[in-house]
Amino acid sequence: MRDKEHTATVTGGRLGAVAIGLLGLAFVLAWLVLTPGAGAAEQRAAATRYTVGVATTPLGKIVVDSRGRSLYLFEADHKGKSACYGACAKAWPPVLVVGKPKAGPGARAALLGVLHRKDGKQQAMYRGHPLYRFFKDTQSGQVKGQGLDFFGGEWYVLTPAGLKLEHEASTDDNSGTTTGGGTTTGGGTTTGGSYGGGYG
């Protein structure tokens, strides 16, 4: 009789433990289901903070991100489609966003847009040009990628009007101030000056 009572007690204890375990599992699954939504919300919030602006660099006033990093166009891109993937995207990281970025000081909101990359991600555009950074531009104001010819096309910074700017910086390392101006492909001249972090 005692053996039966003992067996019933053990069985009941195991069933209770299983029930608690299942309840815990249900809690974890619910948390996992809700977490992606929270992550998406954070991504959307981050996207609303992504801003494209204008700063003064050794090339004059150009389009930059909110940290003052120069943004480039890729001549191999056509009709608003990116031609930069794989090794190219590692050297020239595309400006990935979730939703349309904001226009900072000097930038034109009407020129901003978004394209859908082949990998499903969204990339910021300015006057129809997909935007990229250059991995060797480690400080604000640097334009080390200007005029380089890699991955099937040349890379250039953009003027505030969204035009390709072709002239070179007047310093050897592209990280100082400029003493002169240059001509953009869309006509007109740019003016040089010093630069700092963020927008100038």
Side-chain angles (χ1 to χ4, degrees), residues 74-85:
F74 184 30
E75 286 198 323
D77 291 345
H78 294 291
K79 296 181 179 180
K81 294 183 178 180
S82 174
C84 185
Y85 292 88

Side-chain angles (χ1 to χ4, degrees), residues 63 65 69-73 84 87-95 131-140 142-151 155-157 173-174:
V63 176
D65 66 12
R69 294 176 299 186
S70 303
L71 299 179
Y72 298 81
L73 63 80
C84 185
C88 174
K90 290 182 179 179
W92 302 87
V95 177
L131 297 175
Y132 306 85
R133 289 187 293 268
F134 183 48
F135 80 110
K136 287 190 176 181
D137 287 346
T138 58
Q139 299 176 15
S140 62
Q142 291 183 325
V143 284
K144 295 182 178 180
Q146 175 69 356
L148 296 184
D149 189 347
F150 285 100
F151 302 104
W155 301 82
Y156 294 100
V157 295
D173 64 355
N174 288 348

Side-chain angles (χ1 to χ4, degrees), residues 44 46-53 63-66 71 95-104 107-115 122-126 129 131 199:
R44 286 193 293 272
T48 62
R49 292 192 297 269
Y50 193 91
T51 307
V52 174
V63 176
V64 299
D65 66 12
S66 60
L71 299 179
V95 177
L96 300 179
V97 296
V98 179
K100 186 178 177 180
K102 291 183 178 180
R108 301 181 187 178
L111 299 182
L112 284 166
V114 174
L115 71 91
Q122 294 181 327
Q123 182 175 355
M125 301 176 68
Y126 197 76
H129 299 293
L131 297 175
Y199 306 124

